[in-house]
Amino acid sequence: MAEQCKYSCNTASETLEWIHAIINFIAPYRYFLDAHVVNFFKDRLWEAVDKEWMDCLRKEPVENLLRIPSGVVQDHWPGSLKEFILTLRSLSLSREQADFQEFSGMHIASLSNVLAQGMNHKKKHEVRHGSICLVLLHTYLCAQSARYKSVEQCFFLSAFEFSIL
């Protein structure tokens, strides 16, 4: 039922393809993403949601609604809603633990006490390792811009900007 992710970050070009797919998918829903939570009510943003979806979901048991983030859809739902949920699921990040051993030459800096305040262990792990992904993506985009002589120069610039070395 739930479609698995069809994208990967095995190469920089695959990562970029995934990023573009996400950007293209969320573009029509920009008004939701840009709205402040209070404006959801003030501007009646729920009226922008497809009426057929709203009519369908209003009648659904809570158990079915709670399964939506996992990509579980019901047969009687409108096709466009099922397609939306399955596409959304296919674009989501994998829940599998990434292996950062291949980046053994990279030192992951510890978080400052101010930044880490209020974070649990899991969140600290996500932030530290997420910074590696940001540096690698920034390195790739930097190298594509041809402003720098080498990928190594871009990598060190990226690492310095994100302060992980």
Side-chain angles (χ1 to χ4, degrees):
M1 257 258 193
E3 187 175 328
Q4 295 302 313
C5 182
K6 60 183 177 183
Y7 296 94
S8 75
C9 293
N10 293 332
T11 66
S13 61
E14 287 178 359
T15 304
L16 205 53
E17 178 186 356
W18 195 351
I19 290 168
H20 285 294
I22 292 169
I23 290 169
N24 293 334
F25 178 75
I26 64 174
Y29 309 100
R30 203 69 227 178
Y31 58 93
F32 278 126
L33 297 174
D34 294 338
H36 191 276
V37 69
V38 217
N39 293 345
F40 182 80
F41 299 102
K42 182 176 87 53
D43 298 338
R44 303 172 63 92
L45 289 179
W46 63 85
E47 292 176 351
V49 176
D50 186 305
K51 184 177 175 358
E52 189 178 23
W53 293 13
M54 290 295 285
D55 292 342
C56 170
L57 295 175
R58 275 191 186 110
K59 301 171 189 166
E60 281 301 307
V62 174
E63 296 78 25
N64 289 349
L65 298 177
L66 292 173
R67 292 185 185 115
I68 290 175
S70 299
V72 177
V73 298
Q74 304 302 314
D75 291 335
H76 62 276
W77 288 1
S80 61
L81 176 59
K82 292 190 280 191
E83 181 182 347
F84 174 85
I85 292 169
L86 294 175
T87 302
L88 184 64
R89 180 66 180 162
S90 76
L91 292 170
S92 64
L93 297 174
S94 171
R95 295 274 187 196
E96 295 176 24
Q97 180 72 39
D99 181 15
F100 287 102
Q101 297 303 326
E102 62 189 80
F103 304 114
S104 57
M106 190 179 298
H107 169 70
I108 301 173
S110 59
L111 298 173
S112 73
N113 289 339
V114 173
L115 181 61
Q117 193 171 10
M119 288 186 190
N120 63 26
H121 180 71
K122 181 177 180 276
K123 181 56 67 185
K124 289 176 187 175
H125 172 85
E126 291 167 349
V127 170
R128 282 193 307 264
H129 288 80
S131 66
I132 291 174
C133 297
L134 284 175
V135 167
L136 294 175
L137 179 61
H138 187 269
T139 300
Y140 172 76
L141 295 174
C142 172
Q144 296 298 311
S145 74
R147 286 187 348 205
Y148 301 95
K149 294 178 180 145
S150 68
V151 172
E152 289 79 15
Q153 188 179 17
C154 290
F155 172 77
F156 286 109
L157 171 69
S158 301
F160 176 74
E161 286 181 9
F162 292 104
S163 300
I164 68 160
L165 283 182

